[in-house]
Amino acid sequence: MIVQLTGTLVEALPTYAVLDVGGVGFELGISGITAAGLPPVGAPSVTLLTRMVVRDGAMELFGFGSREERALFDRLVAIT
């Protein structure tokens, strides 16, 4: 499981961010709270906590600025 990524912030929008980690770009779905806390595009050494969700043949990676936000996400996706 991928639990965090650290890299250069390549792109940041209200719903997703792209981190370049060793030459590989990772697109992460993010919340508005995480988006508001991101540094400017081009900033190096940006760390986001992550969760990967696999369902219906799709893999999605989500990024979080805090452990609390990630824990809330974990509780929400556990609901059936």
Side-chain angles (χ1 to χ4, degrees):
M1 179 180 294
I2 301 169
V3 296
Q4 79 175 31
L5 291 171
T6 300
T8 302
L9 186 61
V10 175
E11 188 174 358
L13 294 171
T15 58
Y16 75 91
V18 177
L19 277 183
D20 180 316
V21 181
V24 178
F26 289 89
E27 182 177 292
L28 300 108
I30 59 173
S31 70
I33 293 169
T34 294
L38 290 174
V41 168
S45 299
V46 175
T47 298
L48 289 175
L49 305 171
T50 63
R51 278 296 184 251
M52 180 178 280
V53 176
V54 179
R55 62 180 148 205
D56 299 329
M59 291 190 301
E60 296 176 291
L61 194 58
F62 295 92
F64 309 94
S66 70
R67 292 184 191 284
E68 293 79 17
E69 188 179 14
R70 184 173 65 182
L72 177 59
F73 177 84
D74 290 340
R75 282 184 257 149
L76 289 173
V77 298
I79 298 170
T80 57

